[in-house]
Amino acid sequence: MSWDAIRHSATYVRTMPTWGGGAAAAFLFSGATSLIWYQKIINWKTSTGQTSYSRILLITTGSGVLLLLVAYFVPIGFFGMEALQHLNYIWFSVEDSVRMKWFVVERLVYVYMLIFALYTFFGVISSWHIAFHYAKSFLINRSRKVEWLLLAVFAAVPFGFVYVVDINLFIRIGRYFVISRIIGNMCLIVLLIYLARKKSNAHV
């Protein structure tokens, strides 16, 4: 771990990020779209029955900032800023560089791959679940056949991408996706704030 590289990278805090870099960093905070659906079952209320906004702010902002700092500084500490430009799967390379001499698994990359696979599996299920309910909410006909048709489309698109898209095109699509997602999330948050204020003014 090179602390000099980490200190050098910290000096870029005054540099304006690009759209792609800013969108990739803001992707950690894009869970607001998921909370729109999951807030029905998450208990954000205190014992008095009021919504704890401080709890929401602490959990979302605190965890997001911590993950952002780790994701930014740790790879730079291992490889430096110049070497990272030539890596596609940065965290796989980071974990492959970690050795544990007195452990059952010597190379940490195997543990990381297992955790990453579980996280990816959970993310896919959660994303499909939310997208399915969002898509279903726009439909007038919500029969079982329509639901199965939506699931078939969700399953066919990823498998089609595997046979059509190569890794370079997939990375470019991912870059466009995170940029469009941050713009969409900002518009969604502005819309929700407007609707919330409109609703509160209606009750006055």
Side-chain angles (χ1 to χ4, degrees):
M1 179 73 73
S2 175
W3 293 103
D4 291 334
I6 293 177
R7 283 192 292 268
H8 176 68
S9 63
T11 60
Y12 284 85
V13 69
R14 296 185 297 270
T15 303
M16 184 65 66
T18 61
W19 259 109
F27 186 77
L28 291 173
F29 301 92
S30 61
T33 54
S34 302
L35 289 177
I36 294 175
W37 181 262
Y38 285 127
Q39 58 90 19
K40 300 178 181 180
I41 58 177
I42 297 177
N43 184 18
W44 297 109
K45 297 184 181 298
T46 60
S47 58
T48 59
Q50 297 180 350
T51 303
S52 177
Y53 293 102
S54 60
R55 183 187 302 177
I56 299 174
L57 184 64
L58 178 63
I59 294 175
T60 56
T61 306
S63 59
V65 170
L66 179 62
L67 289 174
L68 187 62
L69 293 176
V70 171
Y72 178 74
F73 286 114
V74 171
I76 292 176
F78 270 90
F79 299 105
M81 299 188 65
E82 296 295 332
L84 290 180
Q85 300 178 8
H86 307 287
L87 297 176
N88 287 328
Y89 303 100
I90 297 175
W91 271 98
F92 278 103
S93 301
V94 170
E95 299 301 331
D96 196 29
S97 303
V98 178
R99 298 289 190 274
M100 294 180 293
K101 185 176 182 180
W102 307 110
F103 195 64
V104 178
V105 181
E106 181 183 1
R107 299 175 64 186
L108 193 62
V109 66
Y110 299 118
V111 180
Y112 173 77
M113 290 178 65
L114 176 61
I115 297 175
F116 186 78
L118 294 175
Y119 171 77
T120 304
F121 184 68
F122 172 77
V124 169
I125 293 177
S126 177
S127 300
W128 278 30
H129 176 76
I130 296 171
F132 173 72
H133 284 283
Y134 279 159
K136 192 171 66 172
S137 64
F138 288 102
L139 299 176
I140 299 176
N141 183 11
R142 301 182 183 180
S143 62
R144 297 292 295 180
K145 292 183 179 180
V146 175
E147 293 181 0
W148 280 107
L149 180 61
L150 286 175
L151 291 176
V153 172
F154 287 170
V157 170
F159 283 105
F161 263 69
V162 173
Y163 293 100
V164 176
V165 179
D166 59 357
I167 184 62
N168 295 323
L169 181 58
F170 188 78
I171 292 175
R172 289 200 300 269
I173 293 175
R175 184 180 296 112
Y176 297 145
F177 168 74
V178 294
I179 293 176
S180 60
R181 174 158 184 166
I182 186 60
I183 297 175
N185 285 347
M186 292 171 62
C187 296
L188 179 61
I189 291 174
V190 171
L191 177 62
L192 291 177
I193 293 175
Y194 168 75
L195 294 176
R197 290 185 175 181
K198 186 176 180 180
K199 182 179 179 180
S200 61
N201 293 333
H203 290 287
V204 175

